[in-house]
């Protein structure tokens, strides 16, 4: 039996994700399938490639050697596979779009089935998205960051504010009273006693908001850690608790009263959102259609503000 390329692809994913579950999710295959690929590769090489611990698979020295050999060639193969896929679909265009998961779920997801062209959605960090756009692996990105590559252009189309929000049942009158008196220390202490939600991926919004307004690092842990910001919105809707999120992700809930805009902070924390594209593209019509969807779906900060007072 020869070496199977899928074994190597699965091995690379396990190495980078650290768990069989993470690799299964990334590759869209079952966890038993991931285990089978790994066992087959270990049987083929005759070496143990990972040390199994309770929480994570740690690569052995042999595993590290194999990863270093295959990482770059596999990346080139994947890029070639994607570009070839594009070129063979002459009758139906295919565009690749990069953005964060929450932005996709909030804006584009419900329109996917109606688009008259093929779409590949990629999630990841913004510097990598900009790099992939420059290389031609992505055709459009939605990003709060800009690159300086000469063949790329970044067009601002919306803003997001990072705000303190509360569930619809939360009594925020004590907070409002403290903020009205400009007693930030008491407001901070009160907030630390409340129920908090954050995401498993990172707590960057919460950490930045705390530092920005209270001028030191947050010194408490959220009560509930959920997969992503969309989960936070669903958990808080009509319930009790606080979180710090981009305003557009909960604008509808604030409008209906299932969530409350509790505080924008002493100073506004605001990001400009850009459409990132290459200056020359053969997919201008398809990109324009997607951009129009985003421009329609994304709420501006003023929309959130107009409903804030009536739901406190």
């Amino acid at each position: 039996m020869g070496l199977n390329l899928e074994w190597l692809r699965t091995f690379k994913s396990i190495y980078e994700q650290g768990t069989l579950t993470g690799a299964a999710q990334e590759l869209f295959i079952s966890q038993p399938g991931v285990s089978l690929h790994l066992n087959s590769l270990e049987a083929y090489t005759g070496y143990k490639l990972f040390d199994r611990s309770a929480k994570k698979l740690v690569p052995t020295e042999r595993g590290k050697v194999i990863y270093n050999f295959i990482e770059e060639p596999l990346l080139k193969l994947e890029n070639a596979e994607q570009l070839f896929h594009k070129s063979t679909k002459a009758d139906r265009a295919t565009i690749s779009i990069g953005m964060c998961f929450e932005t996709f779920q909030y804006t584009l997801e419900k329109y996917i089935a109606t688009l008259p062209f093929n779409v590949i959605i990629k999630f990841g960090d913004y510097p990598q998205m900009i790099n992939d756009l420059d290389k031609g692996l992505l055709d459009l990105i939605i990003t709060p960051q800009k690159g300086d590559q000469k063949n790329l252009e970044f067009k601002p189309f919306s803003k997001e504010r990072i705000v303190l929000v509360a569930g619809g049942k939360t009594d925020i009158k004590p907070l409002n009273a403290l903020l009205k008196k400009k007693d930030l220390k008491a407001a901070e202490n009160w907030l630390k006693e409340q129920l908090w939600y954050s995401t498993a991926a990172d707590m960057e919004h919460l950490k930045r908001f705390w530092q920005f307004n209270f001028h030191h690092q947050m010194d408490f842990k959220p009560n509930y850690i959920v997969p992503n910001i969309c989960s936070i919105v669903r958990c808080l809707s009509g319930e009790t608790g606080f979180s710090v999120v981009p305003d557009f992700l909960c604008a509808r809930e604030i409008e209906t009263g299932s969530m409350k805009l509790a505080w924008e902070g002493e100073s506004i924390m605001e990001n400009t959102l850009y459409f990132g594209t290459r200056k020359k593209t053969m997919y201008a019509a398809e990109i324009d259609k997607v951009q129009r969807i985003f421009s329609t779906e994304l709420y501006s900060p003023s929309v959130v503000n107009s409903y804030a007072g009536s739901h406190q």
Side-chain angles (χ1 to χ4, degrees), residues 42 50 295:
E42 289 184 326
F50 293 97
S295 297

Side-chain angles (χ1 to χ4, degrees), residues 48 186 250 298:
K48 183 180 179 182
C250 55
L298 283 180

Side-chain angles (χ1 to χ4, degrees), residues 149-218:
Q149 292 87 337
K150 292 182 178 180
N151 70 318
L152 302 183
E153 60 183 3
F154 295 86
K155 176 184 174 184
F157 72 96
S158 184
K159 290 183 182 292
E160 62 175 12
R161 286 183 180 175
I162 310 303
V163 295
L164 176 67
V165 296
K169 292 182 180 178
T170 309
D171 181 8
I172 61 174
K173 291 178 183 176
L175 175 64
N176 289 338
L178 294 170
L179 292 175
K180 190 174 182 179
K181 292 192 298 184
K182 303 290 185 181
D183 192 344
L184 288 182
K185 184 61 180 177
E188 178 189 11
N189 290 334
W190 185 87
L191 282 170
K192 288 195 294 187
E193 296 300 316
Q194 308 309 307
L195 292 174
W196 281 88
Y197 288 79
S198 189
T199 62
D202 63 70
M203 291 190 288
E204 188 61 28
H205 291 315
L206 177 53
K207 290 176 179 177
R208 283 181 56 215
F209 188 89
W210 210 264
Q211 179 74 46
F212 201 65
N213 290 287
F214 300 122
H215 311 296
H216 61 83
Q217 294 182 356
M218 55 178 284

Side-chain angles (χ1 to χ4, degrees), residues 102 197-204 222 224-229 231-232:
E102 290 87 355
Y197 288 79
S198 189
T199 62
D202 63 70
M203 291 190 288
E204 188 61 28
Y224 306 113
I225 304 296
V226 297
N228 52 62
I229 296 175
S231 300
I232 291 176

